[in-house]
Amino acid sequence: TFAATGRFAWHNETVDATISFADFAAALRGDRAGLKVRLAGAPLKFGFDGYLSHRPTLKIEGALAADTSSLRETLRWTGAQPPPGGGFGRFALKAQTNVVGSSIGLSGVHIELDGNYGEGVLTLATDGRKTLQGTLATEMLDLSPYISTVRLMASGDRGWDRKPLAVEDFGGIDVDLRLSAARVSVSAVKLGRTAVAANLRGNQLSIAVGESEAFGGVVKGTFGFARTSSGADLKAQMQFANIDLDQSLGEMFGFRRLEGKGNLSFAIDSSGDSIYQLTRGLNGTANLVSRKGAISGINVEQLLKRMERSPLSRGNEFRTGKTPYDTLSASLKITQGTA
């Protein structure tokens, strides 16, 4: 056997380390040998208990565990570029590891990130460009930390934020991730069972919502975001089927005038270096169809009867109540930020 315990400094951080081989002679020959590794420091705690061989090729298998109070700072410490935006704080990982050559497979994964817990499988290929693939399932997914730094409105103003977008490089890694959740929270918006596929290639991020239970109905669609030399390109196509209009339009746009169920769809695209430029360059269409609902805040029937009796009378007192409808449809065309 062989064991060593010590301490080393890397990137101005001190790390305590322990390594041991159950059969040191076999390890030197490249044959399969038991291996234990422990690393403990301010940026990261890491442990591995398994087996190692490197003849004819590198193979590692065993149980892995790692945790850190800030994944963002740990990535910086290792020299990697952390993802843009917020989040990536508390992180913990436990999994069965299988390394063959430059491919790392993790099965029985238990992962925690920013209070979100998931289970599944992950694979990381490091030959050439790094590629991360995997499938994860979670009971509750809170995306609020990752959009907490996104500002749409200028501070103290009703106008769109004109500050340049801080669109950083996505870190030199390709990602193909499938995620399913029983419940999803995005700031004030609450979603039910949701299936999402995220794909990152170069500086292009695409997210496909296979199906999401939202606002009493179902949401499907795609969202794309690409980093460009002049800022960013944005594309989105979404379909909301049989949703509660008062809840959905109220939570998404602050508009609470329609009651009942309906279908909403939109397809938009834009380019710009700020939220202001993205809204000014917005192009696309939006369509709304609803049946058996009501427009709240105005009673058209009473207003028309009043105007019939007294055409010159003012109708301010009729800005209450509601107007029921059998069918309502609306179509919008958006050109350079104007609908």
Side-chain angles (χ1 to χ4, degrees):
T1 62
F2 173 86
T5 299
R7 176 177 294 175
F8 64 90
W10 190 45
H11 292 182
N12 299 319
E13 293 287 352
T14 301
V15 180
D16 294 319
T18 299
I19 182 171
S20 64
F21 290 96
D23 190 334
F24 190 46
L28 292 177
R29 293 193 303 268
D31 296 334
R32 191 170 185 264
L35 171 67
K36 292 184 179 181
V37 178
R38 299 287 185 273
L39 302 176
L44 175 71
K45 292 182 179 178
F46 173 87
F48 175 80
D49 190 348
Y51 298 91
L52 165 72
S53 65
H54 58 84
R55 191 172 63 173
T57 185
L58 175 66
K59 291 185 179 180
I60 303 174
E61 54 183 318
L64 176 149
D67 69 87
T68 175
S69 59
S70 175
L71 180 59
R72 186 173 295 275
E73 292 304 318
T74 300
L75 290 173
R76 290 195 179 102
W77 175 66
T78 60
Q81 178 68 36
F88 292 89
R90 165 68 183 169
F91 171 81
L93 172 68
K94 291 183 179 180
Q96 289 295 318
T97 306
N98 187 11
V99 178
V100 179
S102 58
S103 177
I104 304 173
L106 301 178
S107 59
V109 172
H110 294 264
I111 189 170
E112 174 193 352
L113 179 61
D114 298 319
N116 297 310
Y117 299 86
E119 298 179 352
V121 294
L122 295 171
T123 302
L124 176 64
T126 58
D127 51 339
R129 186 175 176 86
K130 297 177 182 177
T131 302
L132 176 65
Q133 296 178 312
T135 301
L136 294 173
T138 180
E139 183 68 23
M140 174 63 190
L141 178 63
D142 185 5
L143 298 177
S144 302
Y146 312 107
I147 63 173
S148 60
T149 60
V150 178
R151 283 181 29 160
L152 299 181
M153 308 299 291
S155 58
D157 195 356
R158 293 179 60 88
W160 298 108
D161 192 1
R162 299 184 182 224
K163 293 182 179 179
L165 292 170
V167 185
E168 304 174 21
D169 193 287
F170 287 124
I173 184 171
D174 294 337
V175 177
D176 188 359
L177 189 63
R178 303 289 186 270
L179 180 65
S180 61
R183 291 173 292 128
V184 178
S185 175
V186 186
S187 190
V189 178
K190 309 298 181 183
L191 308 177
R193 191 168 298 280
T194 301
V196 175
N199 189 282
L200 177 63
R201 290 289 183 274
N203 286 315
Q204 295 184 346
L205 172 66
S206 62
I207 298 176
V209 181
E211 185 171 285
S212 177
E213 298 174 351
F215 312 119
V218 176
V219 179
K220 297 180 179 181
T222 59
F223 174 86
F225 185 85
R227 178 176 179 263
T228 64
S229 58
S230 59
D233 288 343
L234 172 69
K235 290 184 178 181
Q237 292 183 336
M238 301 296 295
Q239 297 86 41
F240 299 76
N242 199 34
I243 58 173
D244 183 287
L245 295 178
D246 181 69
Q247 180 189 8
S248 59
L249 296 178
E251 292 186 7
M252 290 190 295
F253 307 111
F255 180 80
R256 295 187 179 275
R257 291 292 184 183
L258 295 180
E259 299 177 3
K261 293 276 191 174
N263 299 332
L264 171 66
S265 64
F266 63 83
I268 55 175
D269 63 79
S270 185
S271 299
D273 61 358
S274 67
I275 297 297
Y276 174 74
Q277 290 295 335
L278 286 175
T279 56
R280 281 181 59 89
L282 202 63
N283 297 299
T285 59
N287 296 279
L288 171 67
V289 176
S290 175
R291 299 183 184 276
K292 301 297 183 183
I295 303 174
S296 61
I298 184 171
N299 190 318
V300 175
E301 183 180 10
Q302 291 186 21
L303 177 61
L304 292 177
K305 288 181 179 179
R306 175 67 178 269
M307 292 177 63
E308 184 180 24
R309 293 193 301 267
S310 180
L312 299 181
S313 65
R314 298 180 62 185
N316 290 344
E317 62 269 31
F318 294 100
R319 291 180 181 175
T320 58
K322 62 179 62 178
T323 301
Y325 58 80
D326 291 324
T327 303
L328 180 146
S329 62
S331 297
L332 293 178
K333 182 179 181 180
I334 307 168
T335 304
Q336 293 298 302
T338 300

